[in-house]
Amino acid sequence: MVDTEEESSSSKSLVERLEKAPQKFFDVMTATSKNYLTHMIGVVKSYLPQFNLAPIAKGIAPSCSDEKFREYCKESEVIAEEILKNMAE
């Protein structure tokens, strides 16, 4: 998110550089999310290599209620914390 030396010493004003900050922040968050999702999906495949991941890309299963999905998310928090700990090691 930090401008390179070339960009910061260019003729762009501070306002022009700040106008680009929200997009740069979004790009960093997107890349970080992709890295975590890729890791998580790789972990799933390491245990279940035959598992078809294609339906996951479509989102929540049509037969799953919002309430049930929230329960699944809550149940997954502990596992997510463990995955993050393992990634930090």
Side-chain angles (χ1 to χ4, degrees):
M1 275 184 47
V2 177
D3 287 338
T4 63
E5 221 175 285
E6 182 181 310
E7 288 175 336
S8 62
S9 63
S10 71
S11 60
K12 291 182 182 177
S13 71
L14 176 59
V15 170
E16 289 171 319
R17 293 192 314 250
L18 287 174
E19 285 174 340
K20 293 183 179 186
Q23 183 61 49
K24 287 184 178 186
F25 181 75
F26 178 79
D27 292 346
V28 168
M29 294 301 297
T30 299
T32 301
S33 298
K34 181 181 175 186
N35 286 338
Y36 283 115
L37 284 169
T38 301
H39 180 88
M40 188 264 323
I41 291 168
V43 169
V44 169
K45 284 296 272 191
S46 75
Y47 284 94
L48 303 166
Q50 72 284 1
F51 188 73
N52 179 11
L53 296 171
I56 293 172
K58 295 177 183 175
I60 301 168
S63 60
C64 183
S65 69
D66 289 343
E67 182 180 328
K68 194 65 174 170
F69 182 72
R70 282 192 296 276
E71 287 176 28
Y72 292 147
C73 289
K74 187 69 176 164
E75 178 182 320
S76 300
E77 283 181 25
V78 173
I79 296 166
E81 289 173 9
E82 287 297 317
I83 291 171
L84 291 173
K85 281 184 203 173
N86 290 331
M87 288 182 73
E89 293 176 353

